[in-house]
Amino acid sequence: MKVILHHPRREMQVEGKRRVADLLRYLNLNPEAVLVIRGDQLLTKDMEVGEEDVVEVRPVVSGGERERRRAP
Amino acid sequence: MKCTICRGQAALEIRRHNAAFCAPHFLEFFERQVERAVRDQKMFTHENRVLVAVSGGKDSLALWDVLLRLNYRATGLYIHLGIGAYSEESRAKSVAFAQSRGADLIVVDLPQEHGMNVEELARNSGRVSCSACGLSKRYIFNKVAVDQGFDVVATGHNLDDEAAVLMGNLLHWQVEYLVRQAPVLPSTHPRMVRKVKPLYRIAEREAAAYAVLRGIDYIVEECPNSLGARSLLYKEALNMLEAQSPGTKQSLYWGFLEHMRPRLAAVQEGVTLRDCLHCGQPTTGEVCAFCKMTERAAARMRARLVRAQPASSGPPPEETVAAGVPAGDAVDPAAIAGEPIGLPSGPDDRA
Ligand code: SF4
Ligand SMILES: [Zn+2]
Ligand SMILES: [Zn+2]
């Protein structure tokens, strides 16, 4: 399957069909920090993605302003 | 996985609620949570004019979308910061969203109005970028709201943002920020608008899911200045806890609101605000932090230009003037009104 990743945006190939939870484990990503998207559908962790699929793993964590002051 | 309500295919699992929802039921859940936040915390009514701080990111666009759907009078405000491609793309997405919803969007162009983008403002005033950026955004949000008669400014801070700020404030015992951390920051001066965070009941992942399921085209890439921010580290730590123990973030932040807020509110001290001598906005000092920053930066820039010219032409270098401007600011009034300064005030401050 083709997997689209971000920060920076890039693509990779992952062999075989897998459950979403396994795919995220393989990519070493915390399921709390991403959404897995296929087309206009959100996939839950128990769903399976196949060889022919294109899935986007989109990070949801944002808002990292740098500290306005140095640490005390 | 099945939807808890209709047994259809689930789109999102919400472990902290022990639930999973299909797309339509998730959207319903989301709207209900926002509505409840607005009502429980008495943020605003359907009569009020709400100015939504829009950054082009998932949180602010999801917030704006849901407020429009709930028939609130919500206008967007986008501040163009001049941060390269990131700013260009986030502006384009904000404008496109406004057009698609037929909603009003006010755009303030920082470089155009103040002659400098965030980087130049930071460099010339001796601040780090995020400091110059945050100060400018808070100042402009408030000024536009007051000048144009809005009742309240709404930002897209979500549960994860607030939990991460809280964690930072606790780890470093930033007591003065703890005292002011709340989903509603009341107006403390006739020209200091009320600020609210209607997404404080919504996890970050839910805000992103809402945006995706509503087909909102938001900017996924981050501001280049956010790399390595400590708030991201706190979020990562909280997400590790959350993965093992669902509900951690909610329990941390909502628990704080329930158990600590009332006690802290009792000790909160009032500060006297007066009018900035230069721009009239409320401040604790004589001249507000924003005016000091922009004036200092402008003086430095002029001094550079003078030095770049042949010695005899033009007025004497103004370096001395610039150096005479004290580096320490008067306390930023927005900070007094409650925005924690040591840590991110959040994504949608991130305009
Ligand atoms: S990370 Fe946020 S606060 Fe910092 S410069 Fe970028 S937009 Fe501004
Ligand atoms: Zn359902
Ligand atoms: Zn001023």
Side-chain angles (χ1 to χ4, degrees):
Chain A
M1 74 196 74
K2 184 158 100 185
V3 180
I4 300 165
L5 297 160
H6 291 266
H7 304 340
R9 200 187 155 93
R10 59 203 188 277
E11 287 174 7
M12 68 182 281
Q13 282 295 329
V14 175
E15 298 305 316
K17 76 175 189 200
R18 301 165 190 246
R19 285 168 58 239
V20 166
D22 298 329
L23 174 65
L24 294 180
R25 205 168 303 124
Y26 173 76
L27 297 170
N28 201 12
L29 291 170
N30 184 337
E32 281 300 317
V34 295
L35 288 173
V36 180
I37 307 171
R38 183 175 57 198
D40 56 4
Q41 223 191 344
L42 293 180
L43 306 184
T44 52
K45 65 179 184 216
D46 57 325
M47 286 174 86
E48 226 168 50
V49 279
E51 196 68 60
E52 300 305 313
D53 282 329
V54 178
V55 291
E56 178 187 351
V57 178
R58 186 184 289 196
V60 300
V61 179
S62 59
E65 268 173 62
R66 289 266 192 70
E67 303 67 40
R68 292 180 193 134
R69 290 182 189 154
R70 311 223 178 285
Chain B
M1 199 174 296
K2 302 254 174 279
C3 171
T4 311
I5 297 172
C6 71
R7 314 304 300 161
Q9 172 61 49
L12 200 77
E13 182 184 18
I14 303 187
R15 291 173 70 208
R16 70 195 164 96
H17 289 312
N18 229 326
F21 296 120
C22 64
H25 283 126
F26 169 71
L27 296 172
E28 231 171 67
F29 159 85
F30 189 96
E31 285 179 15
R32 249 198 338 268
Q33 291 295 319
V34 175
E35 180 84 86
R36 178 157 175 206
V38 171
R39 259 191 291 114
D40 281 6
Q41 302 283 336
K42 300 188 175 54
M43 292 183 176
F44 44 79
T45 66
H46 282 94
E47 279 66 55
N48 290 148
R49 291 183 66 217
V50 183
L51 186 63
V52 182
V54 170
S55 69
K58 65 186 194 309
D59 302 289
S60 59
L61 292 182
L63 171 62
W64 197 10
D65 185 86
V66 73
L67 292 182
L68 290 170
R69 281 173 195 278
L70 294 169
N71 290 316
Y72 286 107
R73 301 172 67 192
T75 297
L77 170 59
Y78 175 83
I79 302 177
H80 188 65
L81 301 161
I83 307 178
Y86 166 76
S87 281
E88 295 306 328
E89 193 184 339
S90 59
R91 172 167 58 188
K93 297 214 189 276
S94 302
V95 169
F97 177 86
Q99 279 168 352
S100 74
R101 299 298 192 271
D104 292 331
L105 176 68
I106 301 168
V107 177
V108 173
D109 190 312
L110 186 72
Q112 225 165 60
E113 299 206 357
H114 294 278
M116 279 177 252
N117 64 26
V118 158
E119 301 307 323
E120 294 162 333
L121 204 51
R123 194 170 352 106
N124 288 313
S125 68
R127 285 171 175 264
V128 296
S129 302
C130 292
S131 157
C133 183
L135 175 56
S136 304
K137 283 183 292 192
R138 288 193 303 279
Y139 180 88
I140 292 168
F141 286 140
N142 187 64
K143 189 161 184 349
V144 170
V146 170
D147 289 353
Q148 304 201 21
F150 286 91
D151 299 291
V152 59
V153 168
T155 56
H157 298 97
N158 57 45
L159 173 60
D160 295 44
D161 295 323
E162 295 300 308
V165 169
L166 177 56
M167 185 157 148
N169 286 343
L170 290 173
L171 288 173
H172 302 288
W173 286 107
Q174 306 265 34
V175 177
E176 50 310 9
Y177 302 148
L178 276 176
V179 168
R180 298 189 297 256
Q181 196 180 348
V184 175
L185 312 174
S187 165
T188 48
H189 183 280
R191 272 195 305 287
M192 179 65 77
V193 80
R194 182 182 170 75
K195 292 169 93 189
V196 299
K197 302 170 181 175
L199 299 188
Y200 82 92
R201 302 180 63 87
I202 301 286
E204 188 149 51
R205 190 162 182 270
E206 294 154 24
Y210 180 88
V212 170
L213 293 174
R214 282 279 185 227
I216 297 172
D217 180 22
Y218 66 89
I219 182 164
V220 177
E221 301 312 317
E222 290 288 307
C223 172
N225 292 328
S226 72
L227 278 175
R230 193 172 316 159
S231 59
L232 293 178
L233 176 66
Y234 297 152
K235 282 190 172 178
E236 200 182 326
L238 285 168
N239 275 339
M240 282 168 69
L241 295 171
E242 187 79 24
Q244 299 301 319
S245 171
T248 299
K249 290 178 279 197
Q250 174 177 316
S251 140
L252 175 65
Y253 185 59
W254 295 10
F256 168 76
L257 293 182
E258 189 186 337
H259 303 297
M260 287 311 291
R261 263 316 314 152
R263 295 179 196 217
L264 292 172
V267 299
Q268 200 157 5
E269 282 168 34
V271 267
T272 350
L273 294 178
R274 44 184 167 163
D275 300 348
C276 168
L277 289 175
H278 296 180
C279 74
Q281 288 287 300
T283 175
T284 50
E286 298 205 320
V287 175
C288 78
F290 183 77
C291 284
K292 276 190 188 163
M293 172 176 72
T294 48
E295 286 159 16
R296 185 182 157 93
R300 282 251 189 107
M301 198 132 105
R302 275 198 304 275
R304 276 207 198 125
L305 289 178
V306 169
R307 252 180 288 137
Q309 311 226 320
S312 58
S313 74
E318 293 183 51
E319 196 75 293
T320 44
V321 179
V325 179
D329 296 319
V331 183
D332 172 5
I336 292 166
E339 214 55 284
I341 300 201
L343 271 167
S345 24
D348 292 313
D349 225 38
R350 199 174 33 118

